[in-house]
Amino acid sequence: MVSKNQSIEENTEPLSALFLTESLSEINEGALFLDHLSEIELKTIRDRGEMISYKKGEPVFLQGTNHNGIFQIEKGQVRTYCVAPSGRELTLAYWSRGHFIGGPEIFGGAHLWSAEVTENSEMVFLSGKLVNSLISEIPNFARCLINGLVAKGKCYSQLAQMLGTRTIPQRLAHLLLVLCQVHGEKISEGCLITRHVTHEEIADIVGSTRQWISMTIERWQKEGLLMRKKRQIIIRNPDALRNVAIT
């Protein structure tokens, strides 16, 4: 982890958070939550925050450790996840540029989950003390922060709903449809999911095992719902996949 104070180059990569959700319209609702600030207000926040660079695979914070403050993602991607006593992991979400991580313990407390960088990333860290000062000095920042926290609440509410009301096959079908819509490219065979996700990563999102995911994808391929091509997934029959997701 390397700390640096200069601002990063402007990034134009697409916003692409990923988590289990019923509504795609909410998948990036919390992105760029600071965009409602004026240029002067935004510059004040970034100048007073700490720019930090992370390498792929580095932890940002760990479940159970004390922490305060938030990290605004300027570049890259971060996975948040929780670990059961057995050691099994459940991926909560993949957060991209514009989103922030670090809540709900903004002003101090033990984290309920962990965060790790899945690709080289740059973030602006705002300590709890600084956040408190900014709320007093820049009222618009308080509104932005509330909007960001509301978006996080919706995300984890959607996740809890999906885990509690959908079967694993339904969650897998739903996730593949989300990937097709957010990271899909139309080709002659169907919808190519351009984002590379491993079977293990999919399993951690839907709450299953890598072996089950591999067997199910192989079965769905034989049934004509999808196909594998050079380690990528192509959705061949989205209507049939939607039927699996809702029945």
Side-chain angles (χ1 to χ4, degrees):
M1 182 175 69
V2 180
S3 174
K4 58 184 185 178
N5 293 318
Q6 69 268 28
S7 61
I8 64 171
E9 295 180 358
E10 185 174 350
N11 194 306
T12 57
E13 66 186 70
L15 303 176
S16 54
L18 178 64
F19 52 86
L20 282 176
T21 176
E22 293 280 0
S23 175
L24 275 177
S25 64
E26 296 178 350
I27 203 162
N28 279 308
E29 187 175 324
L32 303 177
F33 74 109
L34 295 179
D35 271 15
H36 296 292
L37 298 175
S38 67
E39 291 186 9
I40 294 177
E41 291 170 333
L42 190 57
K43 184 178 186 304
T44 297
I45 291 173
R46 285 183 168 166
D47 286 347
R48 293 173 63 181
E50 179 185 12
M51 185 71 73
I52 305 177
S53 295
Y54 289 88
K55 296 295 185 182
K56 180 179 178 179
E58 283 191 303
V60 184
F61 50 78
L62 297 174
Q63 183 175 329
T65 59
N66 289 326
H67 165 78
N68 74 86
I70 59 174
F71 297 81
Q72 167 78 2
I73 304 172
E74 300 284 307
K75 178 182 180 182
Q77 180 178 255
V78 180
R79 177 176 80 110
T80 52
Y81 64 98
C82 56
V83 184
S86 64
R88 182 174 177 178
E89 293 183 3
L90 174 68
T91 295
L92 303 175
Y94 285 89
W95 300 111
S96 57
R97 178 177 61 88
H99 291 275
F100 74 88
I101 59 171
E105 300 296 353
I106 295 176
F107 301 110
H111 270 300
L112 301 178
W113 48 75
S114 301
E116 69 172 1
V117 173
T118 57
E119 58 185 56
N120 293 346
S121 301
E122 296 184 357
M123 304 180 223
V124 176
F125 174 65
L126 307 176
S127 69
K129 183 178 180 179
L130 176 57
V131 169
N132 202 36
S133 296
L134 291 170
I135 288 173
S136 298
E137 298 170 23
I138 307 175
N140 280 338
F141 175 70
R143 185 179 64 175
C144 291
L145 187 59
I146 290 171
N147 288 337
L149 290 171
V150 167
K152 295 292 185 190
K154 287 182 178 180
C155 160
Y156 294 124
S157 294
Q158 288 274 349
L159 175 61
Q161 181 179 354
M162 292 290 290
L163 292 175
T165 63
R166 300 290 184 96
T167 65
I168 296 177
Q170 287 175 325
R171 297 199 295 265
L172 174 58
H174 191 83
L175 177 63
L176 293 175
L177 290 170
V178 169
L179 284 167
C180 184
Q181 292 186 63
V182 178
H183 301 282
E185 177 184 326
K186 288 186 178 181
I187 59 175
S188 58
E189 295 98 329
C191 176
L192 170 68
I193 297 175
T194 58
R195 177 173 181 155
H196 176 67
V197 286
T198 67
H199 288 189
E200 184 173 2
E201 289 171 335
I202 292 174
D204 287 343
I205 294 175
V206 302
S208 183
T209 64
R210 181 188 59 78
Q211 293 83 356
W212 185 89
I213 295 297
S214 297
M215 289 189 299
T216 303
I217 286 180
E218 182 178 352
R219 174 164 56 85
W220 286 355
Q221 179 167 297
K222 291 178 181 178
E223 295 173 356
L225 276 69
L226 50 81
M227 65 179 291
R228 298 281 291 176
K229 184 176 183 180
K230 295 181 180 180
R231 301 182 65 186
Q232 290 181 303
I233 298 175
I234 300 172
I235 306 301
R236 301 191 65 185
N237 192 336
D239 290 334
L241 205 58
R242 288 189 191 96
N243 286 334
V244 173
I246 62 176
T247 58

